[in-house]
Protein backbone atom coordinates (compact mmCIF):
# COMPACT_ATOMS: atom_id res chain seq x y z
CA UNK A 1 0.00 0.00 0.00
CA UNK A 2 1.31 3.52 -0.75
CA UNK A 3 0.22 4.79 2.71
CA UNK A 4 -0.09 3.02 6.08
CA UNK A 5 -1.52 4.34 9.33
CA UNK A 6 0.90 3.05 11.96
CA UNK A 7 -0.14 1.35 15.17
CA UNK A 8 0.60 3.12 18.45
CA UNK A 9 2.41 1.53 21.37
CA UNK A 10 2.02 3.17 24.79
CA UNK A 11 5.09 2.62 26.97
CA UNK A 12 4.87 2.95 30.74
CA UNK A 13 7.84 4.69 32.39
CA UNK A 14 8.45 5.78 35.99
CA UNK A 15 9.44 9.20 34.66
CA UNK A 16 6.30 9.46 32.50
CA UNK A 17 3.09 11.41 33.09
CA UNK A 18 -0.62 10.99 33.68
CA UNK A 19 -1.42 14.09 31.63
CA UNK A 20 -0.14 13.71 28.08
CA UNK A 21 -0.83 16.00 25.11
CA UNK A 22 -3.82 16.82 22.89
CA UNK A 23 -4.57 13.82 20.67
CA UNK A 24 -3.62 11.24 23.32
CA UNK A 25 -5.84 9.73 26.00
CA UNK A 26 -4.50 10.18 29.52
CA UNK A 27 -3.84 7.02 31.53
CA UNK A 28 -6.12 6.26 34.47
CA UNK A 29 -5.26 8.29 37.59
CA UNK A 30 -4.30 5.10 39.42
CA UNK A 31 -2.53 3.61 36.39
CA UNK A 32 1.14 3.66 35.51
CA UNK A 33 2.44 6.89 33.96
CA UNK A 34 3.04 6.90 30.20
CA UNK A 35 6.50 8.04 29.15
CA UNK A 36 6.58 7.19 25.44
CA UNK A 37 4.27 6.53 22.54
CA UNK A 38 5.83 4.68 19.62
CA UNK A 39 4.49 4.43 16.09
CA UNK A 40 5.07 0.92 14.82
CA UNK A 41 5.06 -0.45 11.28
CA UNK A 42 3.70 -3.95 10.58
CA UNK A 43 7.34 -5.13 10.54
CA UNK A 44 9.01 -3.10 13.33
CA UNK A 45 12.54 -4.32 12.62
CA UNK A 46 12.57 -3.17 8.99
CA UNK A 47 12.10 0.63 8.80
CA UNK A 48 15.14 2.88 8.91
CA UNK A 49 13.43 5.41 11.18
CA UNK A 50 11.33 5.31 14.34
CA UNK A 51 9.01 8.05 15.59
CA UNK A 52 8.13 8.56 19.26
CA UNK A 53 6.43 11.06 21.55
CA UNK A 54 8.11 11.54 24.95
CA UNK A 55 6.30 12.85 28.05
CA UNK A 56 8.65 13.53 30.98
CA UNK A 57 8.05 14.32 34.64
CA UNK A 58 11.66 13.63 35.70
CA UNK A 59 15.08 13.87 34.07
CA UNK A 60 15.95 10.97 31.82
CA UNK A 61 19.32 9.27 32.27
CA UNK A 62 22.53 10.73 30.88
CA UNK A 63 23.31 8.56 27.88
CA UNK A 64 24.79 8.26 24.43
CA UNK A 65 24.40 6.02 21.37
CA UNK A 66 26.79 4.38 18.91
CA UNK A 67 27.37 5.45 15.33
CA UNK A 68 26.61 3.08 12.46
CA UNK A 69 30.28 2.05 12.42
CA UNK A 70 30.43 1.46 16.17
CA UNK A 71 27.12 -0.40 16.15
CA UNK A 72 28.20 -2.71 13.34
CA UNK A 73 31.38 -3.57 15.25
CA UNK A 74 29.05 -4.87 17.95
CA UNK A 75 26.92 -6.87 15.52
CA UNK A 76 24.06 -4.32 15.46
CA UNK A 77 22.37 -3.19 12.23
CA UNK A 78 22.76 0.56 12.73
CA UNK A 79 23.63 3.29 15.18
CA UNK A 80 21.38 5.99 16.50
CA UNK A 81 21.19 9.62 15.51
CA UNK A 82 18.03 11.29 16.80
CA UNK A 83 16.39 14.68 17.10
CA UNK A 84 13.78 16.35 19.27
CA UNK A 85 11.04 18.79 18.33
CA UNK A 86 9.79 20.40 21.54
CA UNK A 87 5.99 20.72 21.65
CA UNK A 88 5.55 21.87 25.25
CA UNK A 89 7.87 22.74 28.12
CA UNK A 90 7.44 23.79 31.72
CA UNK A 91 9.22 27.05 32.64
CA UNK A 92 12.33 25.41 34.13
CA UNK A 93 12.70 22.59 31.60
CA UNK A 94 16.14 21.81 30.19
CA UNK A 95 17.94 19.41 27.87
CA UNK A 96 21.59 18.49 28.34
CA UNK A 97 23.60 18.38 25.11
CA UNK A 98 27.29 17.63 25.45
CA UNK A 99 29.85 18.64 28.08
CA UNK A 100 30.48 22.25 29.05
CA UNK A 101 34.18 21.78 28.24
CA UNK A 102 36.21 19.13 26.44
CA UNK A 103 36.71 15.96 28.49
CA UNK A 104 39.00 12.97 28.39
CA UNK A 105 37.56 9.46 28.47
CA UNK A 106 39.12 8.99 31.89
CA UNK A 107 37.37 12.13 33.17
CA UNK A 108 34.05 11.04 31.68
CA UNK A 109 34.22 7.65 33.38
CA UNK A 110 35.33 9.09 36.72
CA UNK A 111 32.62 11.76 36.74
CA UNK A 112 29.98 9.19 35.80
CA UNK A 113 31.12 7.03 38.71
CA UNK A 114 31.32 9.79 41.33
CA UNK A 115 28.12 11.58 40.25
CA UNK A 116 29.71 14.84 39.11
CA UNK A 117 28.87 14.26 35.43
CA UNK A 118 25.48 15.94 35.76
CA UNK A 119 27.17 19.25 36.68
CA UNK A 120 29.63 18.99 33.78
CA UNK A 121 26.92 18.94 31.10
CA UNK A 122 25.52 21.84 29.12
CA UNK A 123 21.90 22.02 30.38
CA UNK A 124 20.10 24.32 27.96
CA UNK A 125 16.74 25.91 28.79
CA UNK A 126 14.10 24.85 26.27
CA UNK A 127 10.69 26.09 25.19
CA UNK A 128 7.98 25.01 22.79
CA UNK A 129 9.24 25.21 19.21
CA UNK A 130 12.88 24.45 19.99
CA UNK A 131 14.69 21.77 18.01
CA UNK A 132 17.84 19.76 18.77
CA UNK A 133 19.71 17.23 16.64
CA UNK A 134 21.53 14.60 18.70
CA UNK A 135 24.25 12.92 16.66
CA UNK A 136 25.62 9.53 17.62
CA UNK A 137 28.06 9.77 20.50
CA UNK A 138 26.54 12.97 21.92
CA UNK A 139 26.31 12.82 25.72
CA UNK A 140 22.77 13.99 26.45
CA UNK A 141 19.80 13.91 28.77
CA UNK A 142 16.21 15.06 28.32
CA UNK A 143 14.93 16.99 31.32
CA UNK A 144 11.63 17.00 33.18
CA UNK A 145 8.42 18.73 32.14
CA UNK A 146 8.79 18.21 28.39
CA UNK A 147 6.66 16.92 25.54
CA UNK A 148 8.79 16.17 22.50
CA UNK A 149 8.57 14.30 19.23
CA UNK A 150 11.67 12.18 18.74
CA UNK A 151 12.71 11.15 15.24
CA UNK A 152 15.53 8.61 15.31
CA UNK A 153 17.29 5.88 13.46
CA UNK A 154 15.46 2.65 14.21
CA UNK A 155 17.67 1.39 17.01
CA UNK A 156 17.09 0.79 20.71
CA UNK A 157 20.80 0.74 21.60
CA UNK A 158 21.35 3.15 24.49
CA UNK A 159 24.42 3.39 26.70
CA UNK A 160 23.46 4.77 30.12
CA UNK A 161 26.27 6.78 31.69
CA UNK A 162 24.57 8.25 34.77
CA UNK A 163 21.12 7.85 36.32
CA UNK A 164 20.97 10.13 39.38
CA UNK A 165 21.32 7.20 41.80
CA UNK A 166 18.45 5.16 40.37
CA UNK A 167 19.07 1.40 40.62
CA UNK A 168 19.45 0.75 36.91
CA UNK A 169 22.35 -0.76 35.02
CA UNK A 170 24.99 1.56 33.59
CA UNK A 171 26.96 0.84 30.42
CA UNK A 172 30.18 2.69 31.09
CA UNK A 173 32.54 0.65 28.92
CA UNK A 174 30.48 1.09 25.75
CA UNK A 175 29.19 4.54 26.62
CA UNK A 176 32.62 5.99 27.30
CA UNK A 177 34.10 4.29 24.21
CA UNK A 178 31.65 5.90 21.76
CA UNK A 179 31.25 9.30 23.46
CA UNK A 180 31.85 12.61 21.73
CA UNK A 181 33.96 14.38 24.35
CA UNK A 182 33.60 17.91 22.99
CA UNK A 183 30.95 20.60 23.55
CA UNK A 184 27.89 20.41 21.34
CA UNK A 185 27.83 22.25 18.03
CA UNK A 186 24.38 22.38 16.44
CA UNK A 187 24.25 21.43 12.75
CA UNK A 188 23.08 24.13 10.34
CA UNK A 189 19.33 24.46 9.82
CA UNK A 190 18.43 25.29 6.23
CA UNK A 191 15.20 26.94 7.46
CA UNK A 192 12.33 27.90 5.18
CA UNK A 193 12.98 26.77 1.60
CA UNK A 194 9.46 27.39 0.24
CA UNK A 195 6.25 28.86 1.66
CA UNK A 196 5.04 26.55 4.41
CA UNK A 197 8.09 24.27 4.10
CA UNK A 198 10.90 24.48 6.65
CA UNK A 199 13.90 22.11 6.80
CA UNK A 200 14.81 21.36 10.43
CA UNK A 201 17.70 19.06 9.65
CA UNK A 202 19.26 17.79 6.44
CA UNK A 203 21.26 14.62 7.17
CA UNK A 204 23.49 12.91 7.73
CA UNK A 205 21.07 10.09 8.55
CA UNK A 206 17.67 11.61 7.79
CA UNK A 207 15.87 14.77 6.75
CA UNK A 208 13.14 16.35 8.87
CA UNK A 209 10.79 18.96 7.45
CA UNK A 210 8.01 20.98 9.11
CA UNK A 211 4.99 21.89 6.98
CA UNK A 212 1.93 24.07 7.34
CA UNK A 213 -1.51 22.90 6.19
CA UNK A 214 -3.02 22.74 2.72
CA UNK A 215 -2.47 20.41 -0.21
CA UNK A 216 0.91 19.33 -1.51
CA UNK A 217 2.45 16.65 -3.66
CA UNK A 218 4.82 14.11 -2.12
CA UNK A 219 7.36 12.47 -4.44
CA UNK A 220 9.64 9.83 -2.92
CA UNK A 221 12.29 7.85 -4.82
CA UNK A 222 11.75 4.13 -5.24
CA UNK A 223 12.59 2.28 -2.04
CA UNK A 224 12.28 5.37 0.18
CA UNK A 225 9.65 5.68 2.91
CA UNK A 226 8.41 8.96 4.36
CA UNK A 227 6.85 9.45 7.80
CA UNK A 228 4.10 12.06 8.21
CA UNK A 229 3.65 13.13 11.84
CA UNK A 230 0.70 15.51 12.34
CA UNK A 231 1.17 17.72 15.40
CA UNK A 232 -2.11 19.53 14.74
CA UNK A 233 -4.91 19.17 12.21
CA UNK A 234 -6.29 16.35 10.11
CA UNK A 235 -6.40 15.21 6.51
CA UNK A 236 -5.94 12.41 4.01
CA UNK A 237 -2.80 10.94 2.43
CA UNK A 238 -3.15 8.42 -0.42
CA UNK A 239 -6.69 7.65 0.70
CA UNK A 240 -5.69 7.13 4.35
CA UNK A 241 -7.31 9.50 6.84
CA UNK A 242 -5.14 10.85 9.66
CA UNK A 243 -5.33 13.28 12.57
CA UNK A 244 -3.05 14.76 15.21
CA UNK A 245 -1.51 12.12 17.46
CA UNK A 246 -1.12 9.61 14.62
CA UNK A 247 1.61 8.76 12.11
CA UNK A 248 1.36 7.66 8.48
CA UNK A 249 4.09 6.19 6.28
CA UNK A 250 4.01 6.77 2.54
CA UNK A 251 5.93 5.63 -0.54
CA UNK A 252 5.96 6.76 -4.16
CA UNK A 253 4.15 9.79 -5.55
CA UNK A 254 1.03 10.80 -3.62
CA UNK A 255 -1.00 13.88 -2.77
CA UNK A 256 -1.42 15.13 0.75
CA UNK A 257 -4.62 16.90 1.76
CA UNK A 258 -4.24 18.67 5.12
CA UNK A 259 -6.54 21.02 7.00
CA UNK A 260 -5.47 24.66 6.84
CA UNK A 261 -4.64 24.67 10.56
CA UNK A 262 -2.34 21.65 10.26
CA UNK A 263 1.18 21.59 11.67
CA UNK A 264 3.11 18.63 10.25
CA UNK A 265 6.48 16.93 10.47
CA UNK A 266 7.73 14.88 7.53
CA UNK A 267 10.79 12.65 7.89
CA UNK A 268 12.69 10.44 5.46
CA UNK A 269 16.13 8.77 5.36
CA UNK A 270 19.03 10.42 3.59
CA UNK A 271 21.26 13.46 3.70
CA UNK A 272 19.58 15.66 1.08
CA UNK A 273 16.12 17.16 0.92
CA UNK A 274 13.85 15.89 -1.84
Amino acid sequence: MPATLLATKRVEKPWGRHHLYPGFADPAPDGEPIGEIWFQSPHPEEPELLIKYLFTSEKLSVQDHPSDEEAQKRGLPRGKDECWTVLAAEPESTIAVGPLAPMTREELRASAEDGSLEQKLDWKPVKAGDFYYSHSGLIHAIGAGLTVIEVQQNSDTTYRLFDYGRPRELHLDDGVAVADLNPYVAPPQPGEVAPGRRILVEGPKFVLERWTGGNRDIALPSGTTGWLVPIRGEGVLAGVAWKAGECVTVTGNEQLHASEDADLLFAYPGDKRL
Side-chain angles (χ1 to χ4, degrees):
M1 293 181 62
T4 302
L5 182 66
L6 299 186
T8 58
K9 176 182 178 182
R10 294 163 69 91
V11 182
E12 297 174 350
K13 295 286 187 180
W15 46 259
R17 298 205 308 258
H18 284 91
H19 180 62
L20 302 183
Y21 190 76
F24 299 102
D26 291 341
D30 59 348
E32 294 296 319
I34 299 297
E36 301 179 354
I37 290 180
W38 297 22
F39 297 103
Q40 294 187 303
S41 78
H43 305 285
E45 72 286 353
E46 292 180 359
E48 294 181 63
L49 302 182
L50 176 65
I51 313 294
K52 301 178 185 176
Y53 277 73
L54 304 181
F55 312 98
T56 70
S57 63
E58 301 174 8
K59 288 180 179 177
L60 277 61
S61 64
V62 178
Q63 56 190 241
D64 60 17
H65 310 290
S67 65
D68 287 351
E69 180 182 8
E70 291 288 352
Q72 287 158 12
K73 287 179 185 176
R74 294 160 170 79
L76 303 167
R78 64 179 66 87
K80 186 176 175 181
D81 278 28
E82 59 190 349
C83 66
W84 310 299
T85 300
V86 180
L87 301 186
E90 294 178 0
E92 303 301 319
S93 294
T94 56
I95 289 178
V97 282
L100 288 165
M103 306 176 74
T104 64
R105 300 202 187 278
E106 293 74 19
E107 181 185 3
L108 174 57
R109 176 182 283 274
S111 60
E113 291 174 336
D114 67 21
S116 63
L117 178 58
E118 183 180 3
Q119 286 70 48
K120 294 182 177 182
L121 300 180
D122 187 3
W123 290 92
K124 295 184 180 294
V126 293
K127 63 185 183 305
D130 285 351
F131 175 82
Y132 285 94
Y133 189 91
S134 175
H135 59 267
S136 60
L138 179 70
I139 304 166
H140 65 273
I142 295 177
L146 290 170
T147 300
V148 306
I149 295 176
E150 180 175 280
V151 177
Q152 60 164 89
Q153 289 182 276
N154 187 13
S155 166
D156 62 359
T157 303
T158 294
Y159 300 140
R160 195 178 297 120
L161 294 165
F162 178 70
D163 203 25
Y164 319 100
R166 296 170 183 145
R168 295 196 294 177
E169 180 186 5
L170 300 180
H171 314 98
L172 292 184
D173 288 344
D174 282 324
V176 169
V178 305
D180 181 346
L181 302 169
N182 295 302
Y184 176 73
V185 177
Q189 282 193 28
E192 189 167 32
V193 295
R197 183 189 181 198
R198 185 154 53 101
I199 309 297
L200 297 177
V201 67
E202 190 170 17
K205 301 303 178 181
F206 54 83
V207 178
L208 183 63
E209 307 193 11
R210 193 161 185 173
W211 298 344
T212 56
N215 299 333
R216 67 179 70 231
D217 293 324
I218 294 176
L220 293 163
S222 177
T224 298
T225 298
W227 281 256
L228 180 75
V229 189
I231 300 169
R232 184 178 64 245
E234 59 187 3
V236 177
L237 175 57
V240 173
W242 52 262
K243 62 183 183 299
E246 297 179 333
C247 182
V248 180
T249 57
V250 63
T251 57
N253 299 331
E254 299 294 341
Q255 189 169 59
L256 170 68
H257 302 277
S259 56
E260 290 299 326
D261 68 334
D263 183 5
L264 310 169
L265 296 179
F266 190 68
Y268 46 93
D271 60 359
K272 298 292 182 185
R273 76 191 78 158
L274 300 177

